[in-house]
Amino acid sequence: MIPPEPMPLPPPPSPSPSPVDSVLGLAPVVPVLVLPDVSAAVPLARALVRGGLRAVEVTLRTPDALEGIRAIAEQVPEAVVGAGTVITPGQVAASVAAGARFLVSPGWTEGLLAAMRGCGVPFLPGVSTASEVVALLERGVREMKFFPAQAAGGTAYLRSLAGPLPQARFCPTGGIGPANAAEYLTLPNVGCVGGSWMVPADAVAAGDWARIETLARAAAGLRGPASAQV
């Protein structure tokens, strides 16, 4: 009697992504993406990763944003995808459910802050004044988005905050590009900057991923190797 062939073993499950401890340690520059449609999400994220920028912030400004986050989370595991322009508790839950591994908001309220603190991923609530920084420090939050960076005082303002509020650290976003990003990154209270200059709309529309990769590589080199925490 011929023994039955052994049943094939099922494939091992895909490993879960490592948790992100801090958004500020992922890369010197976090690309801020406004996806025109979901089809651009995966090739765009892959081009950025090849260029050395693993953290990818997809803003919730377009109808396809959540599906774009989901596609990047599933198909580009080497990327660390997050959601930006998060302004409601509902968006917090939807973003995390789609696979976002960090959240960024242009500002904060008590309700939004509570939702972000309970969501299980790191977050950067937005501030633009010293009072807002103090209020977040009072609530135990030390990492923040400084927005709109240039309009709110730029490097001079952040340098002024470093003396009385050294425990606060920032990701400045808004009006930052290749001409001034390096200056922001020299500040002791700046962990990274956010911007979109490495993902110009015409390159995204044309599918010019090689150009985006080149721009990403230049941005990644603004302050040495990224110390990824994932």
Side-chain angles (χ1 to χ4, degrees):
M1 180 176 179
I2 300 175
E5 293 185 4
M7 294 291 290
L9 294 174
S14 300
S16 298
S18 302
V20 177
D21 296 323
S22 167
V23 181
L24 301 186
L26 292 172
V29 177
V30 177
V32 179
L33 312 185
V34 181
L35 292 178
D37 58 72
V38 71
S39 67
V42 168
L44 182 51
R46 286 176 175 158
L48 292 168
V49 169
R50 287 195 303 269
L53 297 181
R54 295 181 62 205
V56 179
E57 177 190 332
V58 178
T59 64
L60 302 185
R61 302 181 195 176
T62 60
D64 286 342
L66 287 173
E67 285 307 307
I69 291 171
R70 192 183 312 278
I72 294 170
E74 293 176 351
Q75 300 180 49
V76 195
E78 61 271 34
V80 182
V81 64
T85 321
V86 177
I87 58 173
T88 69
Q91 288 179 332
V92 170
S95 298
V96 174
R101 296 171 65 189
F102 65 88
L103 305 175
V104 183
S105 174
W108 65 279
T109 64
E110 294 291 355
L112 179 59
L113 185 63
M116 290 193 293
R117 296 187 79 158
C119 74
V121 303
F123 56 91
L124 295 176
V127 297
S128 60
T129 69
S131 294
E132 291 170 324
V133 175
V134 171
L136 283 177
L137 291 174
E138 190 177 74
R139 290 158 175 79
V141 179
R142 296 189 175 189
E143 297 188 350
M144 312 167 195
K145 171 178 176 172
F146 181 58
F147 176 82
Q150 281 292 97
T155 55
Y157 193 89
L158 285 171
R159 192 175 290 111
S160 297
L161 291 179
L165 302 170
Q167 61 272 56
R169 298 185 72 232
F170 303 94
C171 173
T173 303
I176 297 178
N180 60 5
E183 182 183 0
Y184 276 94
L185 290 168
T186 64
L187 300 179
N189 55 352
V190 169
C192 63
V193 299
S196 58
W197 74 89
M198 73 298 297
V199 286
D202 60 337
V204 175
D208 192 350
W209 313 125
R211 179 185 171 197
I212 290 171
E213 180 181 344
T214 298
L215 292 170
R217 185 168 290 110
L222 284 173
R223 191 175 60 187
S227 55
Q229 300 184 25
V230 295

